[in-house]
Amino acid sequence: VQLQASGGGLVQAGGSLRLSCAASGSIFSRSTMGWYRQAPGKQRELVATITRGGSTNYADSVKGRFTISRDNAKNTVYLQMNGLKPEDTAVYYCNADYLDLETPVAANYWGQGTQVTVSS
């Protein structure tokens, strides 16, 4: 299983970035996709998730600023981050929470992280 995240970088406070994560089709279509982040010295935390049907969930700290979306034709999930703050600085990880009810098989997959740094 491959989850390829991209789009991180250095941005000034108030700026925007868009993260992308491409997944293999067999996994993507049966997964709730999510973004998590881990700042230095802190635990990994949920940023946002989106179900196969498009229902979304956000951490309180990013509501109104971040938007998660998915393109099922491209097997890609996005995280649009606006109004970035220095406290958003972290390594961002893509996640696939896989569930195949027919098999049944459940699994959880992680992509490599992408660094987001917000300067004040």
Side-chain angles (χ1 to χ4, degrees):
V1 176
Q2 286 190 330
L3 299 176
Q4 292 287 344
S6 61
L10 173 64
V11 64
Q12 289 188 332
S16 299
L17 284 173
R18 188 175 83 153
L19 306 183
S20 301
C21 176
S24 59
S26 60
I27 297 300
F28 188 86
S29 62
R30 292 178 173 84
S31 294
T32 289
M33 301 299 297
W35 289 96
Y36 291 72
R37 67 186 182 187
Q38 188 167 18
K42 295 187 177 181
Q43 291 187 333
R44 191 172 298 188
E45 63 177 5
L46 169 72
V47 176
T49 61
I50 184 167
T51 67
R52 290 173 291 177
S55 297
T56 58
N57 179 54
Y58 295 92
D60 288 343
S61 59
V62 306
K63 282 181 180 177
R65 299 188 297 124
F66 291 10
T67 302
I68 189 170
S69 61
R70 64 191 291 162
D71 186 333
N72 293 329
K74 295 182 179 180
N75 299 326
T76 301
V77 61
Y78 304 97
L79 184 68
Q80 178 67 45
M81 305 185 292
N82 299 328
L84 282 161
K85 304 175 180 180
E87 50 263 43
D88 294 318
T89 295
V91 178
Y92 283 69
Y93 296 91
C94 178
N95 175 266
D97 188 14
Y98 175 88
L99 177 62
D100 183 345
L101 293 174
E102 296 181 357
T103 318
V105 172
N108 200 264
Y109 303 101
W110 293 93
Q112 90 287 6
T114 184
Q115 177 70 46
V116 172
T117 303
V118 185
S119 62
S120 57

